[in-house]
Short mmCIF file of all heavy atoms in Angstrom, two decimals:
data_model
loop_
_atom_site.label_atom_id
_atom_site.label_comp_id
_atom_site.label_asym_id
_atom_site.label_seq_id
_atom_site.Cartn_x
_atom_site.Cartn_y
_atom_site.Cartn_z
N ASN I 1 103.46 106.77 97.12
CA ASN I 1 103.04 108.11 96.69
C ASN I 1 102.16 107.89 95.34
O ASN I 1 102.28 106.88 94.66
CB ASN I 1 104.26 108.89 96.26
CG ASN I 1 104.88 109.50 97.53
OD1 ASN I 1 104.32 110.51 98.06
ND2 ASN I 1 105.94 108.98 97.96
N SER I 2 101.37 108.81 95.08
CA SER I 2 100.51 108.74 93.83
C SER I 2 101.45 109.49 92.74
O SER I 2 102.50 110.10 93.03
CB SER I 2 99.22 109.65 94.07
OG SER I 2 99.44 111.02 94.06
N ALA I 3 100.95 109.32 91.51
CA ALA I 3 101.57 110.03 90.46
C ALA I 3 101.66 111.49 90.70
O ALA I 3 102.56 112.28 90.19
CB ALA I 3 100.93 109.69 89.12
N ASN I 4 100.63 112.08 91.37
CA ASN I 4 100.55 113.53 91.62
C ASN I 4 101.84 114.09 92.41
O ASN I 4 102.40 115.05 92.08
CB ASN I 4 99.37 113.89 92.41
CG ASN I 4 99.12 115.32 92.64
OD1 ASN I 4 99.42 115.83 93.68
ND2 ASN I 4 98.63 116.06 91.59
N GLU I 5 102.40 113.25 93.34
CA GLU I 5 103.54 113.64 94.12
C GLU I 5 104.71 113.72 93.21
O GLU I 5 105.69 114.59 93.56
CB GLU I 5 103.77 112.75 95.25
CG GLU I 5 102.89 112.91 96.48
CD GLU I 5 101.44 112.78 96.23
OE1 GLU I 5 101.03 111.68 95.88
OE2 GLU I 5 100.66 113.83 96.43
N TYR I 6 104.82 112.90 92.22
CA TYR I 6 106.01 112.93 91.30
C TYR I 6 105.89 114.26 90.40
O TYR I 6 106.98 114.83 89.95
CB TYR I 6 106.04 111.76 90.35
CG TYR I 6 106.58 110.54 91.20
CD1 TYR I 6 105.83 109.92 92.13
CD2 TYR I 6 107.87 110.13 90.99
CE1 TYR I 6 106.40 108.76 92.79
CE2 TYR I 6 108.53 109.10 91.62
CZ TYR I 6 107.69 108.52 92.58
OH TYR I 6 108.27 107.36 93.27
N TRP I 7 104.61 114.58 90.06
CA TRP I 7 104.52 115.84 89.20
C TRP I 7 104.49 117.09 89.98
O TRP I 7 104.93 118.15 89.50
CB TRP I 7 103.16 115.66 88.39
CG TRP I 7 103.25 114.69 87.29
CD1 TRP I 7 103.00 113.41 87.27
CD2 TRP I 7 103.52 115.12 85.93
NE1 TRP I 7 103.11 112.86 86.09
CE2 TRP I 7 103.48 113.89 85.13
CE3 TRP I 7 103.82 116.36 85.16
CZ2 TRP I 7 103.78 113.91 83.88
CZ3 TRP I 7 104.14 116.26 83.92
CH2 TRP I 7 104.07 115.02 83.19
N VAL I 8 104.02 117.15 91.25
CA VAL I 8 103.98 118.43 91.92
C VAL I 8 104.86 118.52 93.16
O VAL I 8 104.91 119.57 93.62
CB VAL I 8 102.49 118.68 92.44
CG1 VAL I 8 101.44 118.46 91.27
CG2 VAL I 8 101.93 117.83 93.48
N LYS I 9 105.37 117.46 93.59
CA LYS I 9 106.29 117.50 94.75
C LYS I 9 107.57 116.76 94.77
O LYS I 9 108.30 116.47 95.79
CB LYS I 9 105.60 116.87 96.08
CG LYS I 9 104.24 117.74 96.30
CD LYS I 9 103.62 117.27 97.58
CE LYS I 9 104.19 117.86 98.83
NZ LYS I 9 103.77 119.30 98.97
N ALA I 10 108.10 116.53 93.42
CA ALA I 10 109.30 115.90 93.23
C ALA I 10 109.61 114.75 94.11
O ALA I 10 110.67 114.56 94.53
CB ALA I 10 110.52 116.97 93.51
N ALA I 11 108.68 113.78 93.94
CA ALA I 11 108.83 112.54 94.88
C ALA I 11 109.87 111.73 94.46
O ALA I 11 110.36 110.87 95.20
CB ALA I 11 107.43 111.77 94.86
N SER I 12 110.38 111.92 93.21
CA SER I 12 111.51 110.93 92.75
C SER I 12 112.75 111.18 93.59
O SER I 12 113.55 110.27 93.82
CB SER I 12 111.83 111.13 91.33
OG SER I 12 112.22 112.45 91.02
N LEU I 13 112.92 112.41 94.26
CA LEU I 13 114.10 112.60 95.04
C LEU I 13 114.21 111.73 96.30
O LEU I 13 115.20 111.53 96.95
CB LEU I 13 114.07 114.05 95.51
CG LEU I 13 114.51 115.01 94.29
CD1 LEU I 13 114.23 116.50 94.65
CD2 LEU I 13 116.15 114.80 94.02
N LEU I 14 113.02 111.06 96.63
CA LEU I 14 113.02 110.05 97.71
C LEU I 14 113.95 108.98 97.35
O LEU I 14 114.54 108.28 98.30
CB LEU I 14 111.57 109.57 97.96
CG LEU I 14 110.66 110.27 98.83
CD1 LEU I 14 109.35 109.64 98.78
CD2 LEU I 14 111.14 110.16 100.34
N HIS I 15 114.17 108.53 96.08
CA HIS I 15 114.88 107.48 95.80
C HIS I 15 116.04 107.70 94.85
O HIS I 15 116.50 106.65 94.09
CB HIS I 15 113.94 106.28 95.40
CG HIS I 15 112.99 106.66 94.38
ND1 HIS I 15 113.15 106.65 93.01
CD2 HIS I 15 111.60 106.93 94.46
CE1 HIS I 15 112.17 107.04 92.27
NE2 HIS I 15 111.26 107.24 93.21
N THR I 16 116.47 108.89 94.66
CA THR I 16 117.56 109.24 93.82
C THR I 16 118.52 110.12 94.59
O THR I 16 118.22 110.64 95.67
CB THR I 16 117.17 109.92 92.60
OG1 THR I 16 116.72 111.26 93.04
CG2 THR I 16 116.08 109.23 91.83
N ASP I 17 119.65 110.35 93.99
CA ASP I 17 120.62 111.34 94.59
C ASP I 17 119.99 112.57 93.97
O ASP I 17 119.10 112.63 93.22
CB ASP I 17 122.06 111.07 94.35
CG ASP I 17 122.37 111.15 92.71
OD1 ASP I 17 121.57 111.57 92.06
OD2 ASP I 17 123.43 110.50 92.47
N THR I 18 120.96 113.78 94.31
CA THR I 18 120.27 115.07 94.03
C THR I 18 120.55 115.34 92.43
O THR I 18 119.94 116.34 92.02
CB THR I 18 121.04 116.08 94.81
OG1 THR I 18 122.46 115.96 94.58
CG2 THR I 18 120.69 115.99 96.28
N LYS I 19 121.18 114.44 91.77
CA LYS I 19 121.36 114.67 90.36
C LYS I 19 120.49 113.67 89.49
O LYS I 19 120.37 113.63 88.37
CB LYS I 19 122.73 114.30 89.91
CG LYS I 19 123.78 115.32 90.48
CD LYS I 19 125.11 114.97 89.97
CE LYS I 19 126.17 116.07 90.54
NZ LYS I 19 127.59 115.66 90.07
N GLY I 20 119.50 113.09 90.26
CA GLY I 20 118.48 112.21 89.59
C GLY I 20 118.94 110.75 89.39
O GLY I 20 118.23 109.90 88.67
N ASN I 21 120.01 110.39 89.97
CA ASN I 21 120.58 109.07 89.72
C ASN I 21 119.93 108.06 90.73
O ASN I 21 119.84 108.35 91.93
CB ASN I 21 122.02 109.04 89.85
CG ASN I 21 122.79 109.77 88.98
OD1 ASN I 21 122.52 109.65 87.72
ND2 ASN I 21 123.65 110.71 89.33
N ASP I 22 119.59 106.86 90.28
CA ASP I 22 118.90 105.90 91.15
C ASP I 22 119.83 105.56 92.29
O ASP I 22 121.08 105.39 92.14
CB ASP I 22 118.61 104.61 90.40
CG ASP I 22 117.70 104.78 89.16
OD1 ASP I 22 116.83 105.73 89.33
OD2 ASP I 22 117.68 104.01 88.16
N LEU I 23 119.22 105.33 93.47
CA LEU I 23 119.89 104.92 94.64
C LEU I 23 119.41 103.56 95.03
O LEU I 23 118.20 103.25 94.80
CB LEU I 23 119.71 105.81 95.86
CG LEU I 23 120.27 107.23 95.79
CD1 LEU I 23 119.75 108.18 97.01
CD2 LEU I 23 121.77 107.01 95.80
N PRO I 24 120.20 102.59 95.50
CA PRO I 24 119.62 101.33 95.95
C PRO I 24 118.77 101.63 97.12
O PRO I 24 118.96 102.42 98.02
CB PRO I 24 120.90 100.59 96.32
CG PRO I 24 122.02 101.57 96.48
CD PRO I 24 121.65 102.66 95.66
N ASP I 25 117.67 100.70 97.38
CA ASP I 25 116.89 100.92 98.63
C ASP I 25 117.61 100.57 99.81
O ASP I 25 118.40 99.68 99.99
CB ASP I 25 115.76 99.86 98.46
CG ASP I 25 114.83 100.16 97.32
OD1 ASP I 25 114.74 101.21 96.73
OD2 ASP I 25 113.93 99.35 97.12
N PRO I 26 117.42 101.39 101.05
CA PRO I 26 118.04 101.14 102.19
C PRO I 26 117.50 99.83 102.63
O PRO I 26 116.30 99.34 102.12
CB PRO I 26 117.52 102.30 103.14
CG PRO I 26 117.18 103.41 102.06
CD PRO I 26 116.63 102.68 100.95
N GLU I 27 118.07 99.18 103.66
CA GLU I 27 117.49 97.86 104.20
C GLU I 27 116.10 98.02 104.68
O GLU I 27 115.24 97.03 104.74
CB GLU I 27 118.54 97.38 105.12
CG GLU I 27 119.87 96.81 104.53
CD GLU I 27 120.69 96.21 105.67
OE1 GLU I 27 120.32 96.16 106.74
OE2 GLU I 27 121.87 95.88 105.31
N ASN I 28 115.83 99.14 105.31
CA ASN I 28 114.55 99.39 106.16
C ASN I 28 113.51 100.10 105.41
O ASN I 28 112.50 100.46 105.97
CB ASN I 28 114.90 100.05 107.43
CG ASN I 28 115.32 101.54 107.13
OD1 ASN I 28 116.31 101.72 106.46
ND2 ASN I 28 114.71 102.40 107.84
N VAL I 29 113.72 100.46 104.07
CA VAL I 29 112.72 101.22 103.37
C VAL I 29 112.26 100.73 101.94
O VAL I 29 113.23 100.20 101.21
CB VAL I 29 113.30 102.69 103.10
CG1 VAL I 29 112.26 103.58 102.55
CG2 VAL I 29 113.83 103.16 104.33
N ARG I 30 111.12 100.74 101.53
CA ARG I 30 110.62 100.54 100.28
C ARG I 30 109.80 101.60 99.68
O ARG I 30 109.16 102.33 100.48
CB ARG I 30 109.81 99.12 100.27
CG ARG I 30 110.49 97.90 100.80
CD ARG I 30 111.66 97.42 99.79
NE ARG I 30 112.34 96.35 100.27
CZ ARG I 30 113.34 96.34 101.10
NH1 ARG I 30 113.95 97.52 101.50
NH2 ARG I 30 114.10 95.22 101.40
N PHE I 31 109.76 101.71 98.43
CA PHE I 31 109.14 102.84 97.69
C PHE I 31 108.14 102.34 96.74
O PHE I 31 108.36 101.41 95.98
CB PHE I 31 110.10 103.75 97.10
CG PHE I 31 111.25 104.15 97.89
CD1 PHE I 31 112.50 103.42 97.99
CD2 PHE I 31 111.11 105.29 98.65
CE1 PHE I 31 113.44 103.93 98.80
CE2 PHE I 31 112.19 105.69 99.53
CZ PHE I 31 113.37 105.04 99.71
N PHE I 32 107.01 102.98 96.66
CA PHE I 32 105.87 102.54 95.75
C PHE I 32 105.26 103.75 95.12
O PHE I 32 104.90 104.77 95.80
CB PHE I 32 104.81 101.78 96.60
CG PHE I 32 105.45 100.63 97.27
CD1 PHE I 32 105.76 100.65 98.63
CD2 PHE I 32 105.66 99.43 96.62
CE1 PHE I 32 106.28 99.58 99.39
CE2 PHE I 32 106.17 98.31 97.29
CZ PHE I 32 106.51 98.42 98.65
N LEU I 33 105.08 103.69 93.90
CA LEU I 33 104.26 104.56 92.97
C LEU I 33 102.87 103.94 92.76
O LEU I 33 102.94 102.88 92.17
CB LEU I 33 104.88 105.01 91.75
CG LEU I 33 104.07 105.65 90.66
CD1 LEU I 33 103.53 106.99 91.12
CD2 LEU I 33 104.77 105.83 89.41
N VAL I 34 101.83 104.71 93.04
CA VAL I 34 100.62 104.23 92.62
C VAL I 34 100.27 104.90 91.19
O VAL I 34 100.02 106.06 91.25
CB VAL I 34 99.48 104.50 93.64
CG1 VAL I 34 98.02 104.02 93.10
CG2 VAL I 34 99.66 104.03 94.97
N SER I 35 100.45 103.98 90.21
CA SER I 35 100.50 104.47 88.81
C SER I 35 99.21 105.26 88.59
O SER I 35 98.14 104.89 88.77
CB SER I 35 100.63 103.32 87.87
OG SER I 35 101.76 102.59 88.23
N GLY I 36 99.46 106.40 87.89
CA GLY I 36 98.33 107.24 87.38
C GLY I 36 97.31 107.80 88.41
O GLY I 36 96.27 108.25 87.95
N ALA I 37 97.71 107.78 89.68
CA ALA I 37 96.74 108.23 90.71
C ALA I 37 96.90 109.77 91.00
O ALA I 37 98.00 110.22 90.94
CB ALA I 37 96.93 107.49 92.00
N GLN I 38 95.88 110.36 91.46
CA GLN I 38 96.02 111.75 91.83
C GLN I 38 96.11 111.69 93.29
O GLN I 38 96.39 110.66 94.02
CB GLN I 38 94.68 112.57 91.47
CG GLN I 38 93.39 112.15 92.28
CD GLN I 38 92.25 113.18 92.02
OE1 GLN I 38 92.04 113.55 90.91
NE2 GLN I 38 91.60 113.46 93.11
N HIS I 39 96.21 112.95 93.99
CA HIS I 39 96.35 113.04 95.41
C HIS I 39 95.11 112.68 96.14
O HIS I 39 94.23 113.55 96.45
CB HIS I 39 96.84 114.55 95.77
CG HIS I 39 97.33 114.73 97.19
ND1 HIS I 39 98.54 114.45 97.60
CD2 HIS I 39 96.61 115.20 98.23
CE1 HIS I 39 98.59 114.82 98.81
NE2 HIS I 39 97.44 115.26 99.27
N GLY I 40 94.97 111.41 96.42
CA GLY I 40 93.65 110.85 97.02
C GLY I 40 92.77 110.51 95.99
O GLY I 40 93.01 110.46 94.65
N THR I 41 91.50 110.08 96.35
CA THR I 41 90.53 109.58 95.43
C THR I 41 89.59 110.62 94.93
O THR I 41 89.00 111.34 95.65
CB THR I 41 89.69 108.40 96.06
OG1 THR I 41 90.69 107.49 96.47
CG2 THR I 41 88.76 107.88 95.00
N GLY I 42 89.60 110.90 93.59
CA GLY I 42 88.84 111.95 93.03
C GLY I 42 87.31 111.51 92.63
O GLY I 42 87.03 110.35 92.55
N ASN I 43 86.50 112.39 92.27
CA ASN I 43 85.23 112.22 91.98
C ASN I 43 85.10 112.35 90.43
O ASN I 43 85.22 113.42 89.79
CB ASN I 43 84.34 113.32 92.55
CG ASN I 43 82.75 113.18 92.22
OD1 ASN I 43 82.45 112.30 91.40
ND2 ASN I 43 81.91 113.90 92.78
N ALA I 44 84.83 111.17 89.88
CA ALA I 44 84.96 111.08 88.29
C ALA I 44 83.73 111.70 87.63
O ALA I 44 83.67 111.77 86.42
CB ALA I 44 85.02 109.56 87.93
N SER I 45 82.83 112.23 88.49
CA SER I 45 81.67 112.93 87.88
C SER I 45 81.73 114.41 87.83
O SER I 45 80.90 115.18 87.63
CB SER I 45 80.26 112.49 88.51
OG SER I 45 80.36 112.83 89.89
N SER I 46 83.00 114.82 88.41
CA SER I 46 83.19 116.38 88.65
C SER I 46 84.52 116.76 88.17
O SER I 46 85.41 116.08 88.27
CB SER I 46 83.02 116.63 90.18
OG SER I 46 83.35 118.00 90.41
N ARG I 47 84.58 117.94 87.58
CA ARG I 47 85.74 118.56 87.18
C ARG I 47 86.31 119.53 88.21
O ARG I 47 87.56 119.85 88.22
CB ARG I 47 85.59 119.37 85.83
CG ARG I 47 85.39 118.44 84.64
CD ARG I 47 85.11 119.34 83.38
NE ARG I 47 85.14 118.50 82.19
CZ ARG I 47 84.24 117.77 81.88
NH1 ARG I 47 82.91 117.69 82.47
NH2 ARG I 47 84.23 117.02 80.65
#
């Protein structure tokens, strides 16, 4: 996930319990944040 999913879609709930406590990774799943990224690749010449 990008940082955008953490800000707009509560992506942290993928890897926490419902109270926000860290959960250990399941044996078959890994989680990755692409630091500071938006939802896809933006155009740095446009607002």
Side-chain angles (χ1 to χ4, degrees):
N1 284 286
S2 75
N4 184 258
E5 277 64 56
Y6 281 77
W7 284 87
V8 311
K9 298 184 86 67
S12 63
L13 284 165
L14 272 171
H15 48 83
T16 71
D17 66 16
T18 58
K19 295 181 179 180
N21 298 308
D22 298 333
L23 291 173
D25 291 347
E27 292 182 0
N28 66 308
V29 188
R30 298 293 181 269
F31 305 96
F32 303 97
L33 160 66
V34 182
S35 304
Q38 70 171 47
H39 187 82
T41 304
N43 180 355
S45 64
S46 171
R47 289 178 170 80

